[in-house]
């Protein structure tokens, strides 16, 4: 039987015009070809959908094995961690969390009965930042809390100003099977985003805006996921401690590792540091420890861990920790604000240490030694060098030390044990300077000769010539060393018999010196039998 489908106009015999009719004249073979093409097209579309738009993939493990593939994972129970509140509004956390939880419940997801279980978990592990979690924490939460995933996120915007509300949230769903991110999204709304005709529809209430945002945000969360087979470790390295973390080349480094068992416990654990490796022995509570030798060459080295399961299959955890080898001692200098001081005049010396290279200081000590080499004052500290150390001339028993020269010794040790010592001298001087004055008269000049011990160091001085009423008629002053002599011209009417002089000086320790005498008293003491001939002349003997 043959069929053909044609559209044509039929003309009846009576001459009446007839409506178009459809005539079917086609073969079964044509229909078969048409159906094959249709099925082929549908197959191509399906292939494109599966290949170019793949389903969400996660990795998973089972108690029986560490890999299985193409099995659906349905999220039924999650842990909701406190959202990281970046808005600084204390109300934000509660409003947004309740809105999101409400929408997730509508999806049929079950939650941990008591959020205090989550809080206890975070507190026990001292986790404060909940905006993101590590793979180890995610897998441990899956084991301890019995959840399929963990929802974390942050509140980026939360503003309530009269009728203007703004809200922005970022949320991620993290698998507790392998710590991967299953889903992530962020959304921001203002109340005016919903404004319609004539200004209607504006949301002015934050609770309402949070509900709308949560509905749109959670509406995109898939419930079903496909699992791709992937070899996951049946355990995780929870933490590693090394002591010391900075050491010398060839030094023995103690390594302690805490293992988190997911589906089984490791049979053996080995650590690798540079070209060195060693197996650790097991202690209590899934803790493994042992010693490994640090490389000789200075540098930063990562510590890898290789754990073996019950079938001796190795699982490598790269760069779990790091150790720095340091063979260079600290480069330290010490400067003093003064090297001579007078404790009895409330003087002090400040030691200012400085670290000139990058180094981690472990501890420092300072010692003051007397001339016999005995330590009379000491102090010590740990970590960063002090900005300055003040010594007021006291001993360890808080007695003022006597005059003399003292040695300071400043020692610095870094974390690797490399040590540097800086030494220097400081002097205590409580005794004021002793300045002697002699006077000579040469024609029309009067000369004051100033004499002191050569070891005395003067910081400042002032010389004054006074009349009989004590008024200054000549003066000069200076910084630094005292001049050996001062010459003053005697003008007309200059009566030295009725004049006096004064000299003041301060040494570098801050001790003051003052001397005031009449000119004749000094001259007569020098020449006891001299007598005055005229106002400005002396007769040496008679």
């Amino acid at each position: 039987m043959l069929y053909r489908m044609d559209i044509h106009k039929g003309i009846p015999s009576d001459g009446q015009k007839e409506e178009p009719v459809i005539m079917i004249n086609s073969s079964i073979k044509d229909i078969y070809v048409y159906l094959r093409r249709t099925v082929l097209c549908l197959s191509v579309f399906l292939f494109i959908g599966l290949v170019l738009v793949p389903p969400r993939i996660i990795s998973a493990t089972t108690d029986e094995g560490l890999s299985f593939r193409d099995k659906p994972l349905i999220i039924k129970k999650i842990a909701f961690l406190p959202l990281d509140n970046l808005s600084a509004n204390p109300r934000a956390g509660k409003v947004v969390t309740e809105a999101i939880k409400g929408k997730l419940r509508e999806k049929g997801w079950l939650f941990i009965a008591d959020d205090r279980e989550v809080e206890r978990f975070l507190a026990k592990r001292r986790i404060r930042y909940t905006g993101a979690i590590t793979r180890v924490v995610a897998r441990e939460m899956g084991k301890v809390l019995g959840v399929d995933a963990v929802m974390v996120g942050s509140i980026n915007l939360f503003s309530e100003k009269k009728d203007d509300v703004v809200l922005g949230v970022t949320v991620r769903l993290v698998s507790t099977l392998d710590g991967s991110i299953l889903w992530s999204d962020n959304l921001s709304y203002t109340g005016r985003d919903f404004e319609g005709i004539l200004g209607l529809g504006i949301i002015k209430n934050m609770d309402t805006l949070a509900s709308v945002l949560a509905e749109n945000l959670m509406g995109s969360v898939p419930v079903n996921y496909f699992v791709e087979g992937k070899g996951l470790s049946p355990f995780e390295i929870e933490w590693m401690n090394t002591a010391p973390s900075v050491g010398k080349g060839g030094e023995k480094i103690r390594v302690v590792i805490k293992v988190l068992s997911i589906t089984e416990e490791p049979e053996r654990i080995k650590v690798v540091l540079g070209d060195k490796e060693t197996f650790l022995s097991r202690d209590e509570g899934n803790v493994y420890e042992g010693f490994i030798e640090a490389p000789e060459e200075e540098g930063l080295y990562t510590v890898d861990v290789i754990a073996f399961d019950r079938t001796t299959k190795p699982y490598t955890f790269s760069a779990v920790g790091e150790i720095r080898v340091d063979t260079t001692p600290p480069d330290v200098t010490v400067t003093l604000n003064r090297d001579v001081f007078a404790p009895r005049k409330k003087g002090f010396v400040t030691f200012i240490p400085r670290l000139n290279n990058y180094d981690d200081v472990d501890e420092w000590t300072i010692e003051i030694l007397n001339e016999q080499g005995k330590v009379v004052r000491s102090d010590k500290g740990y970590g960063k060098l002090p900005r300055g150390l003040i010594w007021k001339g006291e001993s360890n028993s808080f007695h003022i030390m006597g005059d003399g020269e003292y040695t300071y010794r400043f020692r610095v040790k870094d974390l690797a044990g490399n040590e540097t010592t800086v030494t220097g001298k400081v002097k205590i001087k409580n005794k004021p300077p002793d300045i002697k004055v002699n006077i000579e008269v040469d024609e029309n000049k009067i000369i004051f000769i100033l004499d002191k011990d050569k070891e005395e160091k003067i910081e400042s001085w002032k010389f004054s010539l006074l009349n009989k009423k004590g008024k200054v008629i000549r003066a000069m002053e200076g910084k630094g060393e005292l001049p050996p002599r001062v010459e003053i011209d005697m003008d007309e009417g200059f009566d030295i018999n009725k004049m006096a002089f004064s000299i003041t000086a301060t040494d570098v320790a801050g001790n003051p010196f003052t001397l005031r005498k009449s000119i004749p008293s000094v001259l007569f003491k020098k020449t006891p039998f001299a007598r005055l001939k005229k106002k400005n002349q002396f007769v040496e003997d008679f």
Side-chain angles (χ1 to χ4, degrees):
M1 182 180 298
L2 299 177
Y3 292 90
R4 188 177 69 191
M5 185 170 66
D6 290 327
I7 299 179
H8 62 88
K9 293 181 180 180
I11 305 296
S13 59
D14 58 2
Q16 296 289 329
K17 188 173 181 180
E18 191 178 75
E19 292 298 324
V21 298
I22 298 177
M23 301 295 296
I24 299 177
N25 293 310
S26 177
S27 66
I28 294 177
K29 182 178 181 180
D30 293 335
I31 296 175
Y32 175 72
V33 171
Y34 174 77
L35 291 175
R36 282 187 62 188
R37 290 177 179 176
T38 302
V39 171
L40 179 61
C41 290
L42 291 175
S43 300
V44 170
F45 291 148
L46 180 61
F47 174 78
I48 292 174
L50 292 174
V51 174
L52 299 184
V53 188
R56 298 182 183 271
I57 304 297
I58 66 171
S59 302
T61 62
T62 64
D63 292 337
E64 294 77 17
L66 293 178
S67 65
F68 58 91
R69 53 175 61 250
D70 304 330
K71 292 185 178 182
L73 173 68
I74 301 176
I75 303 294
K76 292 183 178 180
K77 191 173 183 181
I78 70 169
F80 197 100
L81 269 59
L83 297 174
D84 191 22
N85 187 6
L86 306 179
S87 70
N89 189 315
R91 206 172 80 88
K94 182 178 180 181
V95 172
V96 176
T97 298
E98 291 303 321
I100 293 177
K101 283 186 176 182
K103 298 304 176 182
L104 287 177
R105 289 190 186 97
E106 295 177 5
K107 297 175 72 70
W109 288 12
L110 302 177
F111 289 87
I112 298 174
D114 191 348
D115 286 342
R116 287 178 295 182
E117 293 184 33
V118 177
E119 294 174 0
R120 280 195 294 267
F121 179 90
L122 298 176
K124 184 177 180 180
R125 288 147 188 84
R126 299 181 181 180
I127 299 174
R128 295 182 180 180
Y129 174 64
T130 56
I133 57 174
T134 65
R135 182 191 69 205
V136 175
V137 172
R139 297 189 72 186
E140 186 179 7
M141 292 187 76
K143 178 183 179 181
V144 174
L145 302 178
V147 294
D148 305 309
V150 180
M151 185 162 284
V152 299
S154 61
I155 303 171
N156 309 318
L157 299 170
F158 191 96
S159 175
E160 299 175 286
K161 296 181 179 178
K162 294 184 179 180
D163 295 336
D164 188 14
V165 290
V166 180
L167 180 61
V169 178
T170 298
V171 181
R172 291 179 295 278
L173 190 64
V174 180
S175 168
T176 59
L177 297 173
D178 65 351
S180 62
I181 297 177
L182 302 177
W183 167 87
S184 177
D185 203 356
N186 68 84
L187 197 59
S188 299
Y189 282 149
T190 69
R192 295 190 176 277
D193 289 339
F194 305 91
E195 183 177 5
I197 300 175
L198 302 178
L200 300 176
I202 297 176
I203 297 177
K204 301 180 181 181
N205 180 270
M206 179 58 80
D207 293 331
T208 304
L209 183 63
S211 178
V212 173
L213 184 143
E215 182 176 3
N216 293 332
L217 191 62
M218 296 298 104
S220 65
V221 182
V223 176
N224 298 331
Y225 297 85
F226 287 100
V227 177
E228 181 184 75
K230 180 181 178 182
L232 288 174
S233 170
F235 26 72
E236 292 282 354
I237 305 301
E238 188 172 346
W239 51 257
M240 168 188 283
N241 288 333
T242 58
S245 59
V246 181
K248 295 181 179 179
E251 183 178 0
K252 293 292 184 181
I253 306 295
R254 183 170 181 262
V255 180
V256 182
I257 294 175
K258 174 70 179 295
V259 177
L260 173 65
S261 300
I262 304 299
T263 58
E264 65 174 273
E265 296 179 357
E267 289 294 318
R268 301 184 75 189
I269 287 185
K270 179 173 65 175
V271 292
V272 181
L273 175 61
D275 58 351
K276 310 288 185 181
E277 60 180 43
T278 187
F279 282 94
L280 305 181
S281 58
R282 183 172 181 176
D283 202 351
E284 297 180 356
N286 282 348
V287 175
Y288 296 76
E289 62 178 295
F291 291 87
I292 190 168
E293 185 178 330
E296 293 290 342
E297 187 175 350
E298 186 169 280
L300 184 64
Y301 298 84
T302 57
V303 182
D304 298 336
V305 176
I306 302 176
F308 301 86
D309 64 9
R310 56 175 173 256
T311 65
T312 69
K313 179 181 179 180
Y315 295 87
T316 300
F317 300 87
S318 300
V320 177
E322 63 181 27
I323 293 174
R324 184 158 63 89
V325 176
D326 182 10
T327 59
T328 304
D331 181 10
V332 179
T333 55
V334 178
T335 57
L336 283 64
N337 67 327
R338 61 176 65 236
D339 56 5
V340 182
F341 70 107
R344 298 191 184 280
K345 299 295 187 298
K346 297 184 179 180
F348 59 88
V349 60
T350 303
F351 302 93
I352 305 172
R354 180 179 178 181
L355 185 64
N356 301 313
N357 64 336
Y358 176 79
D359 210 337
D360 294 314
V361 175
D362 182 28
E363 64 178 50
W364 56 265
T365 59
I366 186 169
E367 296 175 326
I368 308 295
L369 295 83
N370 61 17
E371 294 178 352
Q372 289 74 41
K374 180 182 178 181
V375 176
V376 296
R377 183 67 168 162
S378 62
D379 198 2
K380 68 183 304 182
Y382 300 91
K384 189 176 179 181
L385 292 182
R387 297 181 61 182
L389 293 165
I390 295 176
W391 184 41
K392 298 180 180 180
E394 298 174 333
S395 66
N396 283 330
S397 55
F398 302 104
H399 293 108
I400 297 297
M401 302 302 300
D403 288 13
E405 191 173 62
Y406 294 81
T407 301
Y408 67 85
R409 186 165 60 198
F410 190 78
R411 184 181 293 111
V412 180
K413 185 171 69 173
D414 63 18
L415 290 177
N418 302 300
E419 194 172 290
T420 296
T421 301
V422 180
T423 61
K425 300 291 185 179
V426 64
K427 187 176 182 180
I428 289 181
K429 183 178 181 297
N430 291 301
K431 183 180 178 181
D434 184 17
I435 300 174
K436 295 179 174 59
V437 180
N438 291 317
I439 300 176
E440 293 181 358
V441 177
D442 182 14
E443 295 183 354
N444 293 325
K445 288 184 179 180
I446 182 168
I447 303 170
F448 298 86
I449 300 172
L450 310 178
D451 186 29
K452 67 174 182 62
D453 192 318
K454 292 181 180 180
E455 298 298 324
E456 290 279 8
K457 293 182 179 180
I458 302 300
E459 187 174 79
S460 62
W461 57 272
K462 182 176 182 180
F463 180 87
S464 302
L465 190 63
L466 313 172
N467 61 17
K468 63 180 181 180
K469 295 182 179 180
K471 182 179 179 181
V472 177
I473 57 177
R474 298 282 178 87
M476 59 184 67
E477 59 185 322
K479 297 288 186 181
E481 282 303 318
L482 197 67
R485 52 195 288 155
V486 176
E487 298 182 3
I488 297 178
D489 294 330
M490 292 186 292
D491 300 331
E492 188 69 26
F494 203 87
D495 189 358
I496 61 176
N497 195 38
K498 298 180 180 179
M499 291 185 177
F501 70 91
S502 72
I503 180 169
T504 59
T506 304
D507 64 15
V508 293
N511 298 300
F513 169 83
T514 301
L515 176 66
R516 178 170 177 169
K517 284 190 175 183
S518 65
I519 292 177
S521 66
V522 177
L523 284 173
F524 293 157
K525 184 176 181 181
K526 182 181 178 183
T527 57
F529 300 104
R531 58 185 176 84
L532 200 61
K533 183 178 180 182
K534 293 182 179 179
K535 281 202 304 186
N536 298 330
Q537 296 180 3
F538 287 90
V539 177
E540 290 298 329
D541 49 44
F542 57 96

